[in-house]
Every structure is written in structure tokens, then in C-alpha cells.
Amino acid sequence: MSYHNSFILALLLCLLSSSLPAAPQSSQDLNLDEEASLDGTAWRSITEIGQERAEIAKQYYLKGLLEGLQMGLAFTSEEGLKQVYYFDTSREHLVTALDQFYQDYRNEQIPAIQALQIIAMELRGDTEEEIDSELRRMRRGVADILKREE
């Protein structure tokens, strides 16, 4: 199995398993259809299940993302992933950062895994120009994908 396929498989397994403990009590608690993506729209919709449960759900969601990335370290160089993502902070801090990131309507279609890259750039102290450039690139990429799907 190639590095890329192994990494994607590990990431998906962690994401899927992380959602199980935070599953809503009923299908009416969280209104996400089967095609909902792991982006800002899905992130914000978590709050529909109530504040306390939303915080727990966000923690598990983020835990799955981070575990998927850390599992990817087994298939890639640790140094490579640490250049893209930031692991030296708490999940609570990253939940707050994702909440703030998705307050900007222009970011709502950006997948959470990419949003964490922008947050990592900010936490590492990358220049505002570098961060803005990467964020614009991500937004264009999402817009291109959405245009192709129409």
C-alpha cells in the first residue's frame, strides 16, 4: 500500500471512530445529511445539539482529526507533518480557534483538516502575508471544486 493511501486510510479510520462517542441521542438532535462535509457548515451545525453537548462533540471531532494526523506520522516523516500541523497546544484551544476560523463566511466550505493548517501557521507565527496567501489558495480550491460539481 502506498504512503498516500495508507495515510488517507488511517485518517479516515480515526475520523470515523471519533464520531461514535459524540453521536447525537436521536437523528433529530443533529441535522446533517449523509453528504455533509467536514467543513465549517458541519462544524457550526454541531451547536444545534445544545451548548454542553456541542462542546463535547467538537472535542471528539477534533480528537479524531488530530489522531488521524498523528497516525499518519507512522506512514510519513514526523518532521513533514509537524511543518504543516501544530500539535503543541490543547484540543480546547484548537476548538476555540476553529470556532473563530469558521465565523468568517468565506471559510465555511474549507475542510477542517485544511483549517487546522491555517491555524498551525498562525500558532507558529508565520507572516500574515503567508497565511493570507495560503487561505486565498484554499478558498480558490474549494470554489473550483464547487464549480465542477454544479
Side-chain angles (χ1 to χ4, degrees):
M1 186 180 283
S2 73
Y3 141 78
H4 182 72
N5 290 341
S6 299
F7 178 75
I8 296 297
L9 178 62
L11 181 62
L12 288 174
L13 288 173
C14 288
L15 287 173
L16 291 173
S17 67
S18 73
S19 66
L20 294 176
Q25 299 298 323
S26 73
S27 60
Q28 296 169 342
D29 285 345
L30 185 58
N31 189 15
L32 292 177
D33 62 22
E34 291 179 11
E35 297 191 23
S37 61
L38 302 174
D39 61 11
T41 303
W43 182 262
R44 283 196 315 270
S45 71
I46 293 172
T47 60
E48 294 173 9
I49 63 175
Q51 184 65 31
E52 185 176 323
R53 290 175 57 204
E55 288 303 312
I56 293 168
K58 286 178 178 181
Q59 288 283 331
Y60 278 111
Y61 181 89
L62 188 57
K63 183 178 188 299
L65 286 176
L66 294 175
E67 285 178 355
L69 290 171
Q70 290 171 340
M71 180 66 128
L73 292 176
F75 302 106
T76 64
S77 75
E78 182 173 341
E79 187 174 304
L81 274 181
K82 285 190 175 184
Q83 289 175 356
V84 177
Y85 296 100
Y86 191 85
F87 297 106
D88 296 329
T89 191
S90 69
R91 281 196 311 265
E92 293 85 4
H93 184 231
L94 292 175
V95 165
T96 300
L98 282 169
D99 284 341
Q100 290 173 353
F101 181 84
Y102 286 129
Q103 285 179 357
D104 187 335
Y105 73 93
R106 297 172 297 174
N107 298 336
E108 71 182 17
Q109 298 298 320
I110 295 175
I113 197 77
Q114 288 182 304
L116 287 174
Q117 291 176 2
I118 297 297
I119 292 166
M121 292 175 76
E122 292 171 341
L123 292 173
R124 283 193 310 264
D126 290 7
T127 67
E128 199 166 314
E129 293 80 21
E130 292 171 315
I131 295 167
D132 287 343
S133 175
E134 183 62 16
L135 190 51
R136 282 193 307 276
R137 186 192 67 74
M138 287 180 183
R139 288 173 180 158
R140 277 191 306 271
V142 168
D144 289 345
I145 290 170
L146 293 175
K147 284 179 189 175
R148 282 183 286 205
E149 290 178 357
E150 289 178 351

